[in-house]
Amino acid sequence: MNHSISNHLFVRSLAVLMALVLSVSVYASTEHQHEEQHSESNHNHNELHQDEHDHQEGHKDSHGHKDEHGHKDEHGHEDEHGHDEHEEGQVHISAEQMAISGIMTDSAQAGEIKKVLTLYGRTVLPEQNVSHVSARFAGLITKLTVEVGDKVQAGQKIAEIESNASLKRYGITAPISGVVVSRHGNVGEMVSDKALVSIVDSSQLWGELQVFHRQKNRVAVGQKLSVNFEQLRTTSTIQYLLNPMGNEVYLRARVPLDNTEGHWTVGALLSGEVTLSKHNVALAIDNRAIQIMEGQQVVFVRNEEGFEKRIVTLGKRDSQKTELLSGLAEGEEYAVEKSFLLKADLEKSSAGHVH
């Protein structure tokens, strides 16, 4: 009986102990899960707090606080480069830099705009300025003293021939002054009726300009005109109007050109401008000054810093000048020669500051 009770008590005690162990284990697991949840909650809260702080910092920056690069906010305040709207259209250049670049200026003033008729043609030699020199009698060349390219004077002895008929020697002289352009014999050779040398005098030329039928009524002998070849320009007068020859469909207006300095070349393409009417204007500027920027006609006006871009309104125009309706005042200085360099500099500067 006592042994049975003792066993029964042992069993009950063991059951209670196991229940306590299980309870403690469950409680520990529950506490661990609660701590993990609490830690994760704190972590999320910290991240949220940091996000809010970052948002506030970003919001602060968007309202105009300068960053480490020195740029200001979206409200358009000046950055550390120092560029502002007042610099727009300004080209900074010194007088020394202008001289090096070849930029030249003129001043706006009253002028004359011409209505012109433009004719085209070329330079030709006057017929009397070409001489093909030959021997008077057939014979042997005993002396020939000129080479191609030599300059000769009228009356200068240039060759000596021994006549086949008389066996006597006679001299040949240059009939005109000019330059030897060809030579067709040498000492010891026989010469007959062919040209021995050719001489050209190009000190005076003709400009021959084509006048078509629709232009004929506006062109007359005695009219003055401006004759142009590349950078050369001179004034002359129409001396002849020659009728068409062969298959030509135009008249030829002949104008004399003084070429004693040798600037004009034979065969050069010419343009001639006949003035039909003239108009006086209050202000006129050189055509070379006019530049196109962003679809607008502009001129670069001189100031203390260099030049500023100025939009202009223009009127009548001829080959050299254009009437100025607005944009400059009388006497204002503006860029003429190489003004395109100022345009290029301004465009380059504008492109460099596009963010």
Side-chain angles (χ1 to χ4, degrees), residues 66-83:
K66 185 183 294 187
D67 62 19
E68 64 181 4
H69 298 291
H71 297 286
K72 286 198 175 181
D73 60 13
E74 62 185 0
H75 298 292
H77 296 296
E78 185 179 346
D79 62 16
E80 288 186 347
H81 294 293
H83 299 287

Side-chain angles (χ1 to χ4, degrees), residues 66-233:
K66 185 183 294 187
D67 62 19
E68 64 181 4
H69 298 291
H71 297 286
K72 286 198 175 181
D73 60 13
E74 62 185 0
H75 298 292
H77 296 296
E78 185 179 346
D79 62 16
E80 288 186 347
H81 294 293
H83 299 287
D84 55 38
E85 294 181 356
H86 298 291
E87 290 292 319
E88 184 178 357
Q90 176 70 42
V91 179
H92 296 272
I93 184 171
S94 66
E96 182 180 1
Q97 290 172 324
M98 285 175 57
I100 294 173
S101 302
I103 298 172
M104 301 179 66
T105 63
D106 199 353
S107 58
Q109 55 191 340
E112 190 177 68
I113 305 299
K114 303 174 183 178
K115 182 180 180 181
V116 301
L117 171 66
T118 303
L119 307 173
Y120 298 95
R122 64 179 62 243
T123 55
V124 298
L125 281 166
E127 291 76 5
Q128 69 272 21
N129 286 13
V130 180
S131 180
H132 304 291
V133 185
S134 59
R136 287 176 294 164
F137 308 105
L140 180 71
I141 302 173
T142 59
K143 185 180 292 185
L144 186 56
T145 60
V146 294
E147 303 285 348
V148 172
D150 287 347
K151 292 182 179 181
V152 298
Q153 299 296 319
Q156 176 183 333
K157 186 177 179 179
I158 60 174
E160 188 179 84
I161 307 294
E162 183 182 281
S163 172
N164 287 339
S166 64
L167 299 181
K168 292 182 178 181
R169 295 182 180 184
Y170 65 91
I172 297 177
T173 59
I176 64 173
S177 298
V179 176
V180 176
V181 295
S182 65
R183 168 176 156 159
H184 304 288
N186 292 305
V187 173
E189 294 180 350
M190 298 298 294
V191 62
S192 55
D193 57 350
K194 71 177 183 179
L196 186 60
V197 296
S198 295
I199 301 172
V200 168
D201 176 14
S202 60
S203 61
Q204 299 294 321
L205 300 176
W206 286 117
E208 279 196 350
L209 303 171
Q210 300 172 354
V211 181
F212 291 91
H213 180 73
R214 66 181 182 277
Q215 301 169 326
K216 182 179 178 181
N217 294 334
R218 293 182 284 176
V219 179
V221 172
Q223 275 182 324
K224 291 188 178 298
L225 74 167
S226 173
V227 182
N228 311 299
F229 166 63
E230 295 182 350
Q231 302 301 319
L232 295 176
R233 180 182 294 269

